[in-house]
């Protein structure tokens, strides 16, 4: 119990520093300039992460995921694992999930017909 208490107390400065850095990063993002938006939209980082839908714009989801990775809330590897899980469910490869997609995923494969 004492070890947990002391380690928790020791982590307080680290947590506060991390929160301060996160707020600073988000504050910077609120002041993005046009060149920053184009760099984010057309930049290699979003493409590497499989997030870039267009070189002309950045979606809210792309922006949020890029910021969460930059703030180290989760890693690029975590994102890839989620994308792979989604791809397994997205049997029609449409980039969205709905009831029809789940029914298609659950349907048995048609047996090959022998002539």
């Amino acid at each position: 119990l004492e070890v947990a208490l002391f380690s928790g107390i020791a982590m307080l400065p680290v947590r506060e520093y991390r929160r301060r850095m996160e707020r600073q990063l988000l504050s910077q993002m609120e002041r993005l300039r046009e060149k920053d938006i184009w760099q984010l939209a057309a930049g290699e980082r979003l493409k590497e992460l499989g997030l870039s839908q267009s070189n002309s714009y950045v979606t809210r989801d792309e922006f949020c995921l890029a910021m969460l990775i930059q703030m180290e809330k989760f890693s690029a590897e975590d994102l890839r694992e989620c994308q792979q899980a989604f791809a397994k469910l997205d049997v029609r490869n449409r980039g969205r999930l709905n009831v029809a997609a789940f029914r298609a995923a659950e349907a048995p494969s048609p047996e090959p017909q022998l002539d």
Side-chain angles (χ1 to χ4, degrees), residues 2-104:
E2 289 179 14
V3 173
L5 177 63
F6 288 124
S7 66
I9 292 171
M11 291 300 294
L12 288 175
V14 174
R15 288 186 192 122
E16 181 55 34
Y17 172 77
R18 186 176 181 91
R19 277 195 282 277
R20 199 171 335 118
M21 295 306 291
E22 289 169 359
R23 284 192 300 268
Q24 183 179 1
L25 176 63
L26 290 172
S27 176
Q28 289 172 355
M29 290 300 114
E30 291 172 357
R31 297 187 306 265
L32 284 176
R33 292 182 170 78
E34 182 179 351
K35 71 177 181 75
D36 300 320
I37 294 291
W38 292 125
Q39 183 177 2
L40 184 60
E44 291 303 311
R45 184 69 177 147
L46 284 182
K47 290 182 177 111
E48 289 170 6
L49 296 171
L51 295 177
S52 181
Q53 292 183 23
S54 170
N55 289 341
S56 303
Y57 60 85
V58 177
T59 68
R60 178 187 61 214
D61 292 341
E62 292 169 349
F63 178 86
C64 291
L65 288 168
M67 292 304 98
L68 288 169
I69 289 173
Q70 191 164 343
M71 290 187 299
E72 298 179 355
K73 294 290 188 176
F74 61 90
S75 69
E77 182 58 32
D78 294 333
L79 178 62
R80 276 189 216 74
E81 289 173 8
C82 291
Q83 290 169 329
Q84 290 169 353
F86 182 92
K88 289 177 184 175
L89 295 170
D90 185 17
V91 295
R92 294 182 178 175
N93 202 27
R94 293 184 176 174
R96 61 180 185 259
L97 300 176
N98 58 25
V99 173
F102 282 107
R103 288 181 183 156

